[in-house]
Every structure is written in C-alpha cells, then in structure tokens.
Amino acid sequence: MSNEWPLWEVFIRGQHGMSHRHVGSLHAPDAEMAIKNARDVYTRRNEGVSIWVVEAANIAASSPTEKGPLYDPSRSKVYRHPTFFDIPDEVGAM
Amino acid sequence: MYAQMIKSEGGKDPSEMTPEEVRFQARIDAGEKIEPKDWMPEGYRKTLIRQIGQHAHSEIVGQLPEGNWITRAPTLERKAILLAKVQDEAGHGLYLYCAAETLGVSRDDLTEQLLSGRMKYSSIFNYPTLTWADVGAVGWLVDGAAIMNQVPLQRTSYGPYSRAMIRICKEESFHQRQGFDIMMKMAQGTPEQKRMAQDALNRFWYPSLMMFGPSDAESVHSAQNMAWKIKINTNDELRQKFVDQTVPQAEYLGLTVPDPDLKWNEERGHYDFSEPDWTEFFDVLNGNGPCNNERMEARQEAWADGQWVRDGLMAHAAKKRARKMAAE
Ligand SMILES: [Fe+2]
Ligand SMILES: [Fe+2]
C-alpha cells in the first residue's frame, strides 16, 4: 500500500478575465496526469477555461494561531477605506 | 444514509470539557467553519474520518449496481447519460476522500480499510439491479434519499466536508431526474414495462427507507454529532421528509408504494408509513445482503488489477524527473 501518488491542489479559472480559484485536490503521479485528472474531476460541466495544479507539499500556509498578530493590526486602520473621508456633495463623484 | 450509524467519539458533558473544547464548541455554535489546521478535539476528527470515509466508500461502491447496466442500456442516449451519472459518483468519492485526507488519514489507508472490511459503505448498494427499471428506481429513490441527507450537510461545521457537499449537491439533482425520467418512460410504456417499474419500486422502497438508519432520537452518538454539526437532522426527520416527497411522485407515475398502511395523516401533516425490517438492515450491514460479497470482490479486484498502473506511472514520473535533472 506504499508508493501512494502525491496529492495535488487544483486551481481553475472559471471564465476569461477571472483569477484561478482553488476548487479541490486529487492524487496523480506527476503534473501532466494531475492536469488530465483535474479536467475529468473538476471541469465536467464547463466549470473552467484553464487549470493550475500545485503539489500540495509545496504549498506554505499561515498558521491559524497567528491569526491575531497577522490580521488584527489592519482593523484599526480605517483610513485605508474610502468611506473614511467625507467629501461634500458639491464636489461631485470621486 | 451514505454514512449510516456513525458512532461518535465525543459525548462529553459540558462540565467535563477542557477550556479548548469549550472554545471549540462555541465556534461551532456561532456558525464558524472549522478548517484543517484549526485545533479540534480528537473525537471530532476521528468521528469525521469515519463519517466522510464511509460516505466516500458509498459513492465508489455505489457505482457498481448502476455500472452493471451501462453496457446494456436500451439506447445510446441512455447509455451516455448513465455513464455520465456513474462518472459523477466517482467524482463524489474523490471529493470526499480528499476532505477526509485533510484530517490526517491517507487515501491508501482509507482504501485499505474498505477492502479489509473495517470500514463500511451504505447498505443500499448490497441490493442487485435486476432489470433496467432498477436503474430508474435507483436514481429516483436512492439518489433522492441521498439528496435529503446531503442538502443539510452543506451547512456542516467542517469546511472541507461542507465544500465537498456543495459540489456534490450541484451534481446530484441530475441523478434523481434521470432516474425519474426512466421511471416515467417505463410506467407510461407497455403493460410489461409498467410491471417492471412497479417491481423495481417494490424491491427498492424499503431498502431506500433503511438508508436513513434506525431511529436515533434517543442516541447519544447522534446527539454529540448534532452538537458538532456533522449531523444536522435525525434519521426519522429525514425519512419522513423523503416519504412525504416521494409518495406523490409514485402517484404521478401511477405506481403503488408497497405499504398497505401508508396513508396521509391530516393532523400531523405527514404520511404515516410502515418501518422497514430492521433485522434485514442489520443483516445486510453485517455482510449478509444479496450482493455484499460481489461488491467487495469487485473492489478488491479493481484495486489489485490497478496495482501495475499505479506503480508504472510512479516509475515513469520518477524517470522523467531524473532525466530532466540530468539535462539541467
Ligand atoms: Fe453521489
Ligand atoms: Fe448521485
């Protein structure tokens, strides 16, 4: 039972002009087969126009325990949003 | 269901919970999704592997009764449709295996547990598909029952499982409709065809009701799994919903549900119906159904016959990598 095919993460571009989005994963011996399998598993109903595959072992991810230090600081920086600034109506669209 | 009688690993009284467990339960109660790298109780992880694994095995083994008719479908169009349906089920198995793998179990390990009989699949797939009408009944009733369970599971607390369920539900209604379409054709066909449709309903009715599992209103396992939101409704709730939905469809077909005690209960606003034979259910679950051996043998054979392909492609990939490295 050893010698298991590695796991690949699959990203699909749904339509022209959109970014690729993670849709799921699958096992395959190499990238070429991973793309072929992804086509069969994830695009049977015109779900995509382009496929990326990345071996799961090559993905680095942030850790859930770092949630606070990573994302909390941006909460207080409300001035980064356009709605922070009141522009008088007379000025028109901005 | 596709996952029947899932024993829960939890069942702790809130007063015995560790602070981590209390926080975890609060996240679930708040409707947050649990993701693979988040902290989770060992019992939650183990129960989910059992449930998602059994669900995945059911999708895979579930291809066999219908696959039986691919080569003998009555028209080329029916054959193409059935092929597409069965291919979808292979996909459902894959989505679910991948969801289970995020909990730290390997695909090969899950396969091994199915093949050695340590993990189960749904009892329904141990019944034979004897005629073409059975293919209709399976799509209509079996996929119909599966949908009852899978739709609420889209809201399950475990992110990867929920996402797999959303994909699956999108594909599932085609399955039920193609089955009903076959039943309509048969029921409106020659007297002989209509007899076949009735016979298929007769044989699949009670096994379909069994899919939801015995009543679990009193079960502690069920209560824990519902607290964890890996089970959303009780078995009885889903079974009732299924009966209420299916009986008018059978009437439309002009077929008779094989239950003399079936009748509309105005007061409850639901149909009253007979329970399936639960002795039969446990018997099938314990390996004594009409097709248990055949199903297991087919899976074992497929796994053994595929060994050289899996090994060969790995060897080819390694060779290609080595060649590329030498050229660089
Ligand atoms: Fe399915
Ligand atoms: Fe299905």
Side-chain angles (χ1 to χ4, degrees), chain A residues 4-73:
Chain A
E4 191 173 331
W5 289 353
L7 190 69
W8 299 75
E9 298 300 332
V10 180
F11 300 80
I12 305 251
R13 186 199 300 286
Q15 296 166 37
H16 291 289
M18 305 290 281
S19 330
H20 286 74
R21 229 187 78 190
H22 182 242
V23 293
S25 30
L26 49 77
H27 287 269
D30 56 27
E32 191 188 331
M33 283 301 295
I35 289 176
K36 285 195 169 126
N37 290 349
R39 176 212 166 259
D40 287 343
V41 179
Y42 292 106
T43 65
R44 293 198 301 284
R45 291 180 174 83
N46 303 319
E47 288 98 333
V49 293
S50 162
I51 299 171
W52 286 352
V53 293
V54 184
E55 214 177 316
N58 291 328
I59 292 185
S62 66
S63 147
T65 54
E66 288 172 311
K67 235 187 230 158
L70 285 180
Y71 313 115
D72 283 353

Side-chain angles (χ1 to χ4, degrees), chain B residues 145-274:
Chain B
I147 291 170
M148 282 288 146
N149 176 257
Q150 288 170 341
V151 166
L153 273 178
Q154 294 178 102
R155 292 181 283 119
T156 184
S157 61
Y158 189 56
Y161 191 25
S162 157
R163 292 189 284 275
M165 277 299 130
I166 291 168
R167 290 195 79 84
I168 287 176
C169 285
K170 262 193 209 148
E171 300 178 350
E172 206 66 76
S173 71
F174 145 60
H175 297 179
Q176 195 185 13
R177 281 166 169 243
Q178 65 86 35
F180 194 74
D181 190 62
I182 292 173
M183 292 305 276
M184 283 199 297
K185 197 86 185 174
M186 302 287 288
Q188 293 158 6
T190 63
E192 181 58 22
Q193 284 175 312
K194 187 167 180 186
R195 254 198 308 280
M196 282 167 73
Q198 181 63 54
D199 171 58
L201 173 58
N202 291 349
R203 282 181 289 106
F204 276 95
W205 176 253
Y206 286 108
S208 299
L209 296 188
M210 288 179 204
M211 285 175 69
F212 299 95
S215 177
D216 58 359
E218 314 275 279
S219 155
V220 276
H221 293 297
S222 172
Q224 174 61 68
N225 291 346
M226 285 174 99
W228 277 336
K229 281 193 199 154
I230 60 183
K231 183 180 172 77
I232 312 290
N233 304 93
T234 67
N235 295 348
D236 291 324
E237 278 167 8
L238 292 172
R239 187 170 16 251
Q240 181 72 61
K241 233 178 137 185
F242 174 75
V243 171
D244 290 348
Q245 178 192 282
T246 310
V247 170
Q249 294 167 352
E251 279 166 8
Y252 177 87
L253 292 172
L255 301 178
T256 311
V257 173
D259 178 358
D261 295 325
L262 180 84
K263 66 168 187 300
W264 179 252
N265 184 326
E266 191 64 52
E267 213 172 294
R268 291 202 308 127
H270 293 291
Y271 282 95
D272 290 337
F273 59 94
S274 306

